[in-house]
Each structure stands twice: as structure tokens, then as C-alpha cells.
């Protein structure tokens, strides 16, 4: 007989009690704000499917970084839009590329902000795939050197952390070797270790102009049906030298986040991706959902599942909401 002795509602009676027994306290300390860097100056264009998110030139990026740092968000992750795309995505490693210049400018501003860069080719290739192609096949090994060169160019510009998102096999080892060879031993690698082939990247591909021009990404990104395979991917990336790992997307993969957390004792990130953000924004605009409550519930659930680092387009709003209690 448990009732009436046991009454769990006793601890839900007031906010003081609820706060006192709360298991997960969402904080700003693990938030990462994603940003899209365009060529040119004074560019600031809103992404139509992601209200509040902009493609911006370096000058505007730096302005927003002041705001991001002011809000107590510890890190940004940068995605680049090239001037020109080609077969091998050569602008990904250009010393004067938009991302590389943005890193330097943020460094120059001396903000209290970690700079993470996404390392991938899909924004830079004419075919929109994350590696080089032969006909319709995405080649693994020839892509590694290109990815490593992109990471090196980010490190040279001053990135704190590079984050490969391409899902080629062996890229963490290739990037680690390249960075070490050039004495960037202290640049950390946050590997998108378990990245699924997801419909929830749709709005991002508009923001980053990176939709594949033929086929899809199923031959390199993971099958959404697999969770045990994620543990293997994580294990391989850690063996190759990843310092931190990521599960992406977040919401349909909370079980994967949880399993990775249970199995591995390294900093774990989750990416609350563009489609997840767009759904909340669209429903809120229609008055169908309370944006603040929904976004905070989502972020709390990602942290509760086990991710201590959360990449999210809600970061600025969340930081404001958390500041005001
Ligand atoms: C690049 C990359 C993608 C995202 C992050 N890095 C898109 C993709 O793989 O198609 C998605 C981020 C988001 O949807 O917010 N490979």
C-alpha cells in the first residue's frame, strides 16, 4: 500500500519546491549559436524558413557576436557561403574565404567567445555533396585531404574548435594529423560522429545553399533506423582522436544521445537542427504553440537525455529567457 503515504504531488506544490527537486537545470554554459557567413559587406538577409536567422557578411557577423557574447553564450559555430562553387569545393580551404575572415574578425574583437567551425564541403561544391564525386559516387579517401585542408585553414585563422560534419570515414584522423603536422596541437575536434540522413536539415540547406544537386546523402550519413551503429561511429571517432562528439539531429534521436552518454565519458553535443527550429517558429507564428515554453522544453529534454553542449538557433532567445528566470 503506497497511497496515501506516498504523494509525489507534495513536491510539486510550489515553484520553490519544484525548483528544489529539479533534476535538470538548463543553463547557458553549453549553448552554441550557429551563424552563416556570406561574402561581401553589409549583407544581412533573413533565411525565410528560419525567422531570426540571417546570412551575413563578416562585418555584420562580428556585430551579432558582440550580442551573443553579451548574452553569456559561450560559443558560435560558423558556416560559410562561398563566392564560387566548384567540383572540389576549393573555397572551403581558402585563406581569404568568408569563414576564415570571420574567424579572424571575431578574434580581433577579443570577445569572450569560443569559435567553432563546421568543416564540410557541401556548401562549396557545385554538386552539393560533402565529398568529391566520381559520376554519382561520393568518394571517401580523396575527400579526406580536402577536409583536412579546410580544417587547417580554420585553425590558421584562429578557430578554437573544428567540427567535421561530412561523415566520410577516417576524417577525424586525417584532420588531427594535418593539424598536428602544422603545430595546431591545441585546436580541438568536435566530431559530428553520429549524423543521420535527416529530413530535418531542409531549412539549413536553404540557409547554406547546400542541397545536393543529384541523389541524396544516404551513402554517407547514417540510417535513421540505427542506434547501435551510432555507438560504433562514436567509438571510431574517439579512437581517431576526437575530443568531443555530437549526435545530430537531436529530437528524433534523444535515445541515441542517452545511449552515447551512458557508454562514453567525453563531452557530448547535440544539434537542435534547422527543421526542429523551423517547426517551433512556424507553429508559434500561427499561434498554435507557446514558443518560449516549447523551445525551453526542447532544450531541457536534450540536456536531460545527456548532451551538455547544445547547438541551437534558439540560443539567443534561450539565453534571454534564462537570464530573466
Ligand atoms: C553540412 C551540415 C548540415 C548541417 C550542418 N552541417 C547539412 C547537411 O548535412 O545536409 C545541418 C544543420 C541544420 O539543419 O541545422 N554537412
Amino acid at each position: 500500500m503506497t497511497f496515501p503515504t506516498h504523494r509525489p504531488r507534495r513536491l510539486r506544490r510550489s515553484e520553490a519546491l519544484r525548483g528544489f527537486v529539479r533534476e535538470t537545470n538548463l543553463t547557458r554554459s553549453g549553448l552554441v549559436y550557429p551563424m552563416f557567413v556570406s561574402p561581401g559587406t553589409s549583407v544581412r538577409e533573413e533565411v525565410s524558413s528560419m525567422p531570426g536567422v540571417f546570412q551575413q557578411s563578416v562585418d555584420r557577423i562580428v556585430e551579432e557576436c558582440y550580442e551573443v557574447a553579451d548574452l553569456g553564450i559561450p560559443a558560435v559555430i560558423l558556416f560559410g557561403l562561398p563566392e564560387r562553387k566548384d567540383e572540389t569545393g576549393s573555397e572551403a580551404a581558402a585563406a581569404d574565404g568568408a569563414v576564415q575572415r570571420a574567424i579572424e574578425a571575431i578574434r580581433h574583437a577579443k570577445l569572450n567567445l569560443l569559435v567553432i567551425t563546421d568543416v564540410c564541403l557541401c556548401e562549396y561544391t557545385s554538386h552539393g555533396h560533402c565529398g568529391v564525386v566520381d559520376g554519382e559516387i561520393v568518394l571517401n579517401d580523396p575527400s579526406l585531404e580536402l577536409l583536412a585542408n579546410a580544417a587547417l585553414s580554420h585553425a590558421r585563422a584562429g578557430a578554437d574548435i573544428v567540427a567535421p560534419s561530412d561523415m566520410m570515414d577516417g576524417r577525424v584522423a586525417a584532420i588531427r594529423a594535418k593539424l598536428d603536422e602544422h603545430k595546431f596541437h591545441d585546436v580541438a575536434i568536435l566530431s559530428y560522429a553520429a549524423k543521420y540522413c535527416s529530413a530535418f536539415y531542409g531549412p539549413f540547406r536553404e540557409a547554406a545553399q547546400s542541397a545536393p544537386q543529384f541523389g541524396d546523402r544516404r551513402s554517407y550519413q547514417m540510417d535513421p533506423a540505427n542506434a547501435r551503429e551510432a555507438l560504433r561511429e562514436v567509438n571510431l571517432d574517439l579512437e581517431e582522436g576526437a575530443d568531443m562528439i555530437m549526435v545530430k539531429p537531436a529530437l528524433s534521436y534523444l535515445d541515441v544521445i542517452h545511449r552515447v552518454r551512458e557508454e562514453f565519458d567525453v563531452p557530448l553535443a547535440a544539434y537542435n537542427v534547422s527543421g526542429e527550429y523551423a517547426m517551433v517558429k512556424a507553429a508559434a507564428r500561427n499561434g498554435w504553440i507557446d514558443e518560449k515554453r516549447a523551445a525551453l522544453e526542447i532544450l531541457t529534454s536534450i540536456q536531460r537525455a545527456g548532451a551538455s553542449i547544445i547547438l541551437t538557433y534558439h540560443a539567443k532567445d534561450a539565453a534571454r529567457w534564462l537570464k530573466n528566470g
Side-chain angles (χ1 to χ4, degrees):
M1 255 258 296
T2 57
F3 179 82
T5 311
H6 293 285
R7 292 177 179 269
R9 286 186 56 190
R10 274 185 201 123
L11 300 183
R12 294 181 204 137
R13 274 174 52 235
S14 67
E15 185 47 32
L17 277 166
R18 290 189 294 271
F20 194 56
V21 299
R22 188 158 291 136
E23 298 173 30
T24 306
N25 285 294
L26 184 65
T27 64
R28 285 171 289 165
S29 65
L31 295 179
V32 181
Y33 186 57
M35 304 180 87
F36 299 95
V37 194
S38 310
T41 48
S42 306
V43 179
R44 182 169 160 86
E45 272 186 50
E46 194 164 27
V47 180
S48 62
S49 54
M50 301 172 72
V53 175
F54 298 81
Q55 298 172 334
Q56 301 177 93
S57 50
V58 172
D59 51 324
R60 297 301 185 88
I61 288 278
V62 174
E63 270 174 38
E64 196 177 9
C65 280
Y66 276 98
E67 192 191 343
V68 172
D70 242 25
L71 285 167
I73 296 166
V76 293
I77 181 164
L78 304 178
F79 298 90
L81 299 153
E83 210 110 43
R84 243 170 297 102
K85 299 182 190 244
D86 59 26
E87 277 282 301
T88 57
S90 47
E91 222 177 295
D96 60 351
V99 162
Q100 289 81 354
R101 286 185 294 107
I103 302 166
E104 285 164 3
I106 297 167
R107 277 267 160 278
H108 190 73
K110 299 214 180 319
L111 297 169
N112 193 10
L113 204 55
L114 291 168
V115 180
I116 308 174
T117 57
D118 184 85
V119 176
C120 197
L121 299 180
C122 63
E123 298 106 294
Y124 301 92
T125 50
S126 44
H127 43 75
H129 280 288
C130 305
V132 286
V133 300
D134 178 11
E136 304 239 317
I137 299 189
V138 179
L139 302 175
N140 194 87
D141 299 11
S143 301
L144 299 181
E145 176 75 6
L146 304 177
L147 292 161
N149 287 338
L152 175 61
S153 73
H154 298 168
R156 281 188 169 134
D160 298 290
I161 300 167
V162 294
S165 67
D166 52 282
M167 287 303 276
M168 297 300 124
D169 295 329
R171 91 273 210 213
V172 172
I175 290 171
R176 186 71 270 160
K178 179 72 80 178
L179 292 177
D180 289 354
E181 185 191 322
H182 290 85
K183 307 264 185 303
F184 291 107
H185 301 103
D186 290 334
V187 172
I189 300 177
L190 165 59
S191 164
Y192 288 69
K195 177 174 176 179
Y196 288 88
C197 190
S198 171
F200 294 102
Y201 305 149
F204 173 94
R205 292 183 186 169
E206 178 200 339
Q209 296 163 2
S210 66
Q213 299 304 300
F214 63 83
D216 52 42
R217 304 207 202 287
R218 282 175 225 235
S219 78
Y220 42 107
Q221 297 181 345
M222 285 180 59
D223 185 334
N226 295 356
R228 293 191 296 270
E229 187 187 352
L231 302 180
R232 178 165 158 72
E233 281 281 6
V234 167
N235 195 26
L236 288 169
D237 283 7
L238 289 174
E239 279 177 4
E240 287 180 31
D243 301 285
M244 296 172 273
I245 47 182
M246 195 195 303
V247 172
K248 175 186 173 191
L251 288 188
S252 297
Y253 302 90
L254 292 175
D255 60 323
V256 177
I257 295 172
H258 181 69
R259 286 169 78 159
V260 170
R261 173 73 293 159
E262 299 270 285
E263 202 94 4
F264 300 94
D265 202 6
V266 293
L268 172 59
Y271 202 140
N272 175 214
V273 299
S274 57
E276 297 170 340
Y277 174 81
M279 290 194 298
V280 171
K281 287 302 234 190
R285 284 198 158 183
N286 277 300
W288 295 340
I289 204 170
D290 177 328
E291 179 177 351
K292 174 178 170 180
R293 285 190 56 202
L296 290 176
E297 185 173 332
I298 284 171
L299 297 176
T300 300
S301 73
I302 296 169
Q303 191 178 313
R304 190 195 63 230
S308 53
I309 300 164
I310 306 175
L311 293 81
T312 179
Y313 304 96
H314 294 293
K316 289 194 335 183
D317 288 331
R320 281 189 205 101
W321 294 326
L322 292 170
K323 220 173 207 167
N324 304 330

